[in-house]
Amino acid sequence: MPQESRFEGDSRMNQLLLPIRFRMNGQECRAEVKSNELLVDFIRNHLGLTGTKRSCDMEICGTCTVLLNGEAVSSCGMFAFELNGKELLTIEGLARNDGLHPLQESFVECGGLQCGFCTPGMILLAKALLDENPNPTWKEIQEYMDTNFCRCTGYQMIIESILEAAKKMREAS
Amino acid sequence: MKPVIGQNIQRVDGQEKVTGKAIYTGDLKLPGLVDGKVLRSPLAHALIRRIDARKAESIPGVLAVLTRENCQVATPYFGAMIKDQPIVALEKVRYAGDIVAAVVATEEEIAEEALKRIEVDYDELPTLLTIEEALRDDAPLIHDKLQRVRVPEYGRGATYHLHENSNICHHFRYQRGDGEKALDRADFVFEDTFVFPSAQHYSMEPNISVASLEGSNLTIWSPTQAPFSLRQQVSRVFGLPLSRIRVIVPHVGGGYGGGKGVLTSILAVALSRLVRRPVRIAFTADENFKTISQPRAKLTIKTGVKKDGTFIARRCEVYLNGGAYVNSTPSVAEKAGYRMHGPYRIPHVLTDAYAVYTNCVPTGAFRGFGGPQAAFAYESHLDMIAHRMKIDAVELRMKNLLDKGEEFAPGDTPIDCDLKGALKWLAETIEWGKKDFSPKDPRIKRGKGIACGVKDGGGTAKSANAMVKILIDGSVLLSFGSVEIGQGVRTALLQVVAQELSIAPERIQVAELDTQYTPFDQATNASSATSITGQAVQRAARDAREQLLSAAASVLGTQRSGLSLEDGVIISQGRSLTFQEVMRQYFDDTEPEIVGKGFFKFPRDDRIPLGSPSPFWEIGFGATEVEVDELTGGVKILKYVSVTDAGKMIHPLQCRGQDEGAVLFGIGQALFEELVYKETRLINPNLVDYRLPRFRDLPQSFSTHILEEGGGPGPYGAKGMGEGGILAVAPAVCNAVHNAIGVRIQEVPLKGERVWKAAVRNP
């Protein structure tokens, strides 16, 4: 039966494991990943980093945003093996030894979060923005952040959180 | 001690949420946890002739297949108000997406393959997608027999009408004065009809539940807004005592009324019973769209007006397209109906509001609960009357707005804030009457619009409990059943306890929500957490304080009246004692707790239309300036000002967050959110085709003005304010579009195509 053989074929594909090396939140890592495994599932299920959330599964909402070599990507739209040779930053790796990252502090202080489900992705996207542009205008933040959705806050307080974090970071440096 | 109320203390869940440590249901890891997947009907209305799962069951790795053949439960139907929805389809399917079977396998891929092997033979039935089709005399019945959980008991002026052999599942009528007859006494009578879209809540966290049955003890983890009513529903379906069902609510990724967790929990329990392992049901985005939606509404208003603009009578009809299963939609119909006269003085009113079964996606509560639909209709209608009578729209509102202290409806709570003052402020802020002709491009036109919405807030006859424990080390544990859905309830109610016990907020911990330990709370809806649960919390804190001070009086051998709490210690005639010192001595060096309890419930009262007083009036006034592109029909909101009344702000930052978030919901429904069907299928069940508001949709100028008029029933005069912000958006924007291009649009969302067509038709 063709249906059956297709299923078995898929099963074998699942078993095809690819060795990868990468840096995860500053640590050297090696893993074997299924060839068809999505990056978001690898991060959540194998690395156990459940701060990365999934929502739309179509690379639209930005909830699953992580940074790969400093660039914000939707982890639901990539395979785990694409991590090979790259540096991964998830929300769990953002806080430093001496405390929260200024973005994390300001999201709490300025009302940049409510239910918190979009927050990890939102903060990581904001980090990518501030790495590129440490002194963004309100309008620049609005345009840069447009790829990530929040259903709670009404967005304005997220923009204010990022402005505040940028100010703190400029003052500290 | 400096006051805690009104301070933006750090939200208690903030740190966990910004570090990724907050655990949501989907993050739980349990030994042996397996995923369940569901098979959905491709047809919108059909009898199931045969269902055969044998091939699916024979696939290695498949643990169980649930169909009608093995669905052995106490009662297979569930529902918030009408038990209309089966766990899996029994004799028929009622919408494209209805659940026919569910599979659990050792791996997700195997479960998905098994779904394809389930054989189902259908006999198609005629489909009814619109209200008009469902109400035709020859329309087939979507549900043959219905079991109502309860029939509403209304008070003065409101009645419930049962329609036998009809697709109408709820009919609410409200009448006062001479009702419709008084229209004869008007100088002018105007009638208009409006349509408000079906929308998807789209909380970023999808519908999900985990259920685990061990022996006869059941545990459910779910992001529900109503853990106690979920427990009740599970108890009825599976015939389990309430005491054996434990619902734990981890962090919740947004609610907005979407009834998250009910269907997924019931399915997870059913499957967990079959496989005797913990089962997770996590819907995909596509499945969420096909689970529940806001009912599409058609609203007709006829208003009788005197020559000077005074409203004297109103007749309304509201029809909600309830879809295949109606959850709370009967209540939404009731509330939309009750609110149809708006914040205006209209002595004679007759309103009929109906919820109707169709073969669309099921419906239920949605942030605003009928309020946005009603406000869209009555505030667009008001502007249309003003235009026809050549009266200024703000002036017409001023003439008819209720005064503070005036009853919204005979018997109900008087209006608790200055509506006219709010409107006056809004008109000044938007520079009402001043037209901006600055766009250089002749096809771009600007216009301004205002709308004034109110809804009864806090629900009807709701009750809540709370518990405040003072522990021997002086720290405090607060426990209540309102769900933290992002609104900040855990922080705000902690502030209430800090204030009542005069202690630093850091000394208080809010307990996790677990129905096995947490005292009962009706549900987290209707903007009720601060005002209803807040009162239970305040009472519990006061009870604990009294017990502590009585203990102190006994220890010191003094009168209770001479004692007070200040800055975290007990003060007696200049002497201060810690909580610990008092408790140790009073309880003979054992290590006890002081347990303060609080209960609050609004009483039933048959003199009031809905049978219980509206706890408060949630205000949603808004003014906007828009730009319309006459060539494309594109509408852009340049400016939006929202006015609401918090009564008293416990946490001002969170209040602002509630109002701004609500306004964005309003913007979504005003401009682009709408579920679209082609023939019988929902064709935009994903975020590519269903447009959510995003950063770029923020108005260039957007502000909220939160009044604190102290008139709420909650602690320190607080009201709820989670929904008001939505009310005015759609009508204000439509009024502004009319002001810009002279074209009246009576159906939202204002997609460019719709505006363009209307503009071309009425140049």
Side-chain angles (χ1 to χ4, degrees):
Chain A
M1 237 164 75
Q3 232 182 354
E4 203 161 313
S5 63
R6 195 181 68 227
F7 176 53
E8 282 172 1
D10 287 345
S11 274
R12 275 197 301 276
M13 283 289 286
N14 293 344
Q15 300 311 312
L16 182 59
L17 295 174
L18 303 170
I20 59 168
R21 293 180 63 164
F22 58 100
R23 280 177 74 82
M24 173 195 83
N25 298 332
Q27 274 188 311
E28 287 292 337
C29 292
R30 286 162 186 267
E32 285 201 317
V33 298
K34 287 186 201 166
S35 56
N36 62 351
E37 180 157 28
L38 293 176
L39 180 56
V40 64
D41 292 332
F42 178 70
I43 291 171
R44 288 178 54 79
N45 302 337
H46 291 252
L47 301 179
L49 301 174
T50 53
T52 303
K53 307 298 182 201
R54 61 191 297 175
S55 181
C56 78
D57 276 330
M58 298 182 98
E59 300 176 68
I60 297 291
C61 72
T63 302
C64 63
T65 301
V66 294
L67 301 190
L68 272 194
N69 290 352
E71 194 192 330
V73 298
S74 289
S75 58
C76 76
M78 294 184 77
F79 287 113
F81 66 75
E82 294 181 81
L83 192 54
N84 193 31
K86 300 217 170 85
E87 163 115 39
L88 168 71
L89 182 73
T90 70
I91 192 69
E92 289 88 350
L94 191 59
R96 297 155 305 184
N97 293 335
D98 54 343
L100 296 180
H101 185 278
L103 275 164
Q104 292 173 312
E105 285 174 2
S106 66
F107 266 67
V108 178
E109 283 163 16
C110 304
L113 68 88
Q114 286 183 28
C115 83
F117 205 76
C118 74
T119 307
M122 203 64 87
I123 289 178
L124 289 171
L125 182 64
K127 180 178 188 302
L129 163 66
L130 296 186
D131 287 347
E132 261 175 53
N133 177 2
N135 190 12
T137 63
W138 202 95
K139 189 84 193 151
E140 283 167 345
I141 297 173
Q142 184 184 14
E143 282 168 11
Y144 194 96
M145 299 297 293
D146 192 54
T147 54
N148 280 30
F149 290 8
C150 168
R151 196 61 157 155
C152 293
T153 61
Y155 296 115
Q156 195 155 249
M157 291 159 89
I158 294 180
I159 297 178
E160 289 168 15
S161 303
I162 297 169
L163 283 170
E164 176 66 20
K167 193 169 135 231
K168 275 189 198 168
M169 288 163 75
R170 283 196 309 275
E171 282 166 4
S173 65
Chain B
M1 196 179 104
K2 68 173 192 202
V4 186
I5 301 304
Q7 301 300 307
N8 293 326
I9 68 162
Q10 184 170 325
R11 59 180 296 155
V12 295
D13 52 357
Q15 177 124 352
E16 283 168 280
K17 285 178 174 175
V18 296
T19 52
K21 290 190 181 122
I23 297 296
Y24 297 75
T25 304
D27 305 332
L28 292 170
K29 292 182 174 66
L30 295 176
L33 180 66
V34 279
D35 276 292
K37 297 277 165 195
V38 301
L39 178 70
R40 291 172 183 274
S41 163
L43 301 173
H45 201 193
L47 293 169
I48 298 177
R49 189 167 4 104
R50 184 183 74 97
I51 183 159
D52 187 343
R54 280 172 298 180
K55 282 183 187 150
E57 283 162 344
S58 68
I59 297 176
V62 170
L63 301 172
V65 181
L66 175 74
T67 67
R68 65 180 183 184
E69 308 300 331
N70 61 347
C71 186
Q72 308 284 333
V73 294
T75 155
Y77 289 95
F78 65 96
M81 297 188 68
I82 302 171
K83 286 196 253 181
D84 56 6
Q85 184 162 9
I87 306 175
V88 288
L90 298 174
E91 78 280 13
K92 65 171 174 171
V93 289
R94 297 182 176 86
Y95 76 102
D98 210 349
I99 294 174
V100 177
V103 171
V104 195
T106 50
E107 284 177 59
E108 272 187 76
E109 289 92 343
I110 299 173
E112 270 159 18
E113 182 61 26
L115 292 179
K116 294 179 201 154
R117 307 284 184 91
I118 300 171
E119 293 167 11
V120 190
D121 295 337
Y122 297 101
D123 287 329
E124 284 198 57
L125 294 166
T127 51
L128 310 169
L129 291 174
T130 64
I131 293 159
E132 291 75 15
E133 285 168 354
L135 294 181
R136 274 204 316 251
D137 287 340
D138 61 345
L141 289 183
I142 292 171
H143 293 269
D144 300 330
K145 50 186 184 298
L146 287 172
Q147 200 185 348
R148 283 171 170 78
V149 177
R150 62 186 164 83
V151 169
E153 292 168 45
Y154 294 127
R156 185 167 77 180
T159 43
Y160 167 77
H161 301 264
L162 186 64
H163 292 248
E164 299 281 6
N165 296 318
S166 160
N167 285 315
I168 293 173
C169 65
H170 195 89
H171 175 189
F172 166 83
R173 172 174 283 186
Y174 175 62
Q175 173 159 7
R176 73 183 190 219
D178 302 331
E180 190 170 23
K181 284 188 243 101
L183 286 169
D184 297 343
R185 286 173 242 156
D187 295 317
F188 304 100
V189 175
F190 301 104
E191 180 177 337
D192 300 297
T193 296
F194 303 89
V195 175
F196 203 80
S198 176
Q200 161 57 219
H201 310 73
Y202 207 89
S203 61
M204 301 308 294
E205 175 195 36
N207 256 295
I208 184 167
S209 297
V210 173
S212 176
L213 189 66
E214 283 187 32
S216 53
N217 291 325
L218 175 64
T219 307
I220 296 168
W221 292 263
S222 173
T224 170
Q225 287 177 244
F228 295 90
S229 91
L230 173 61
R231 184 178 68 174
Q232 182 75 47
Q233 296 212 42
V234 169
S235 158
R236 283 199 198 115
V237 170
F238 297 99
L240 288 169
L242 290 169
S243 57
R244 291 202 173 272
I245 304 166
R246 177 177 180 190
V247 179
I248 298 174
V249 186
H251 281 284
V252 177
Y256 326 116
K260 228 158 75 169
V262 178
L263 178 57
T264 46
S265 292
I266 288 172
L267 280 167
V269 174
L271 292 169
S272 181
R273 274 177 10 135
L274 290 177
V275 302
R276 294 278 150 180
R277 282 168 75 158
V279 173
R280 174 169 60 199
I281 297 279
F283 284 170
T284 60
D286 172 271
E287 291 183 290
N288 280 305
F289 274 93
K290 291 171 184 164
T291 298
I292 195 166
S293 59
Q294 168 167 270
R296 188 178 171 83
K298 186 177 169 194
L299 313 100
T300 299
I301 310 189
K302 201 194 268 190
T303 303
V305 191
K306 283 193 189 164
K307 278 196 186 102
D308 68 352
T310 307
F311 294 166
I312 58 168
R314 179 168 284 183
R315 168 82 176 107
C316 311
E317 279 187 313
V318 178
Y319 287 94
L320 301 183
N321 182 329
Y325 308 112
V326 292
N327 300 290
S328 303
T329 295
S331 279
V332 178
E334 161 201 313
K335 295 281 190 174
Y338 186 54
R339 295 165 184 160
M340 282 300 281
H341 58 277
Y344 301 107
R345 188 181 303 110
I346 309 177
H348 309 283
V349 174
L350 175 62
T351 294
D352 286 290
Y354 307 88
V356 182
Y357 282 118
T358 64
N359 296 117
C360 293
V361 169
T363 62
F366 191 105
R367 196 173 190 174
F369 211 80
Q373 295 90 322
F376 172 58
Y378 64 69
E379 282 303 88
S380 297
H381 177 62
L382 187 144
D383 261 45
M384 293 166 81
I385 294 173
H387 184 69
R388 289 161 182 149
M389 293 182 70
K390 299 186 171 45
I391 300 176
D392 176 80
V394 168
E395 197 185 306
L396 185 61
R397 288 187 171 88
M398 281 293 186
K399 189 175 221 30
N400 292 288
L401 268 178
L402 291 166
D403 284 313
K404 187 170 180 173
E406 206 172 336
E407 284 174 330
F408 174 83
D412 207 345
T413 309
I415 292 294
D416 50 18
C417 69
D418 177 12
L419 304 180
K420 287 178 179 163
L423 176 58
K424 186 165 174 285
W425 182 88
L426 205 47
E428 282 165 11
T429 305
I430 198 82
E431 297 183 285
W432 184 249
K434 200 167 135 193
K435 186 113 174 166
D436 183 351
F437 297 101
S438 62
K440 291 196 181 69
D441 191 334
R443 64 184 230 208
I444 304 290
K445 299 287 190 306
R446 284 191 180 174
K448 290 175 184 172
I450 276 186
C452 301
V454 298
K455 73 182 275 284
D456 52 301
T460 304
K462 287 188 71 173
S463 64
N465 292 276
M467 197 157 64
V468 170
K469 292 185 189 176
I470 302 175
L471 310 184
I472 187 68
D473 62 356
S475 67
V476 170
L477 196 57
L478 166 62
S479 181
F480 56 82
S482 263
V483 180
E484 175 61 67
I485 46 176
Q487 83 282 50
V489 63
R490 293 166 79 81
T491 308
L493 298 188
L494 177 150
Q495 284 174 279
V496 171
V497 176
Q499 183 73 29
E500 293 297 328
L501 296 181
S502 295
I503 59 173
E506 295 75 32
R507 269 170 68 178
I508 308 167
Q509 176 75 25
V510 184
E512 300 304 314
L513 208 172
D514 177 340
T515 58
Q516 193 160 345
Y517 309 108
T518 308
F520 175 85
D521 187 281
Q522 201 140 338
T524 306
N525 54 22
S527 305
S528 67
T530 307
S531 60
I532 307 296
T533 310
Q535 290 188 78
V537 167
Q538 190 177 34
R539 288 174 185 198
R542 288 181 176 172
D543 182 28
R545 182 179 66 189
E546 283 315 303
Q547 291 182 48
L548 178 67
L549 290 177
S550 299
S554 156
V555 166
L556 295 167
T558 170
Q559 292 294 313
R560 155 69 187 89
S561 55
L563 300 174
S564 62
L565 289 176
E566 273 172 46
D567 273 334
V569 291
I570 300 152
I571 306 285
S572 166
Q573 294 160 342
R575 191 177 152 207
S576 78
L577 286 106
T578 65
F579 290 11
Q580 188 172 12
E581 284 167 334
V582 166
M583 286 168 69
R584 280 218 179 272
Q585 286 189 50
Y586 184 74
F587 294 105
D588 294 332
D589 271 337
T590 58
E591 297 199 342
E593 297 172 351
I594 285 177
V595 183
K597 291 178 195 152
F599 173 70
F600 180 79
K601 181 173 177 13
F602 265 101
R604 267 205 64 81
D605 187 339
D606 291 336
R607 293 165 300 179
I608 301 169
L610 299 184
S612 179
S614 299
F616 57 88
W617 297 101
E618 198 163 351
I619 308 305
F621 284 21
T624 187
E625 183 168 13
V626 305
E627 220 167 62
V628 185
D629 182 332
E630 286 192 302
L631 193 67
T632 64
V635 175
K636 192 170 165 189
I637 300 175
L638 300 176
K639 184 171 192 173
Y640 195 89
V641 187
S642 173
V643 180
T644 190
D645 173 31
K648 168 73 188 167
M649 287 194 273
I650 308 281
H651 192 293
L653 190 70
Q654 289 179 176
C655 289
R656 191 187 143 206
Q658 282 299 294
D659 203 52
E660 291 190 2
V663 169
L664 261 281
F665 258 79
I667 288 176
Q669 293 173 47
L671 297 187
F672 32 72
E673 284 189 52
E674 180 179 35
L675 295 180
V676 182
Y677 289 83
K678 189 176 181 191
E679 290 159 9
T680 60
R681 273 182 43 248
L682 177 64
I683 57 165
N684 60 342
N686 59 70
L687 287 196
V688 175
D689 301 310
Y690 184 91
R691 171 100 151 71
L692 288 186
R694 51 204 297 175
F695 276 95
R696 74 164 85 122
D697 300 311
L698 269 177
Q700 284 165 16
S701 162
F702 174 28
S703 60
T704 58
H705 184 59
I706 303 171
L707 303 168
E708 291 188 274
E709 299 204 6
Y716 324 109
K719 295 162 71 168
M721 50 164 311
E723 300 163 286
I726 308 179
L727 301 176
V729 183
V733 170
C734 286
N735 291 342
V737 168
H738 180 264
N739 183 244
I741 62 170
V743 173
R744 171 58 58 178
I745 298 171
Q746 288 161 248
E747 178 172 359
V748 282
L750 294 177
K751 291 179 177 170
E753 181 192 356
R754 185 169 277 154
V755 178
W756 179 83
K757 273 188 189 158
V760 169
R761 259 203 314 272
N762 316 300

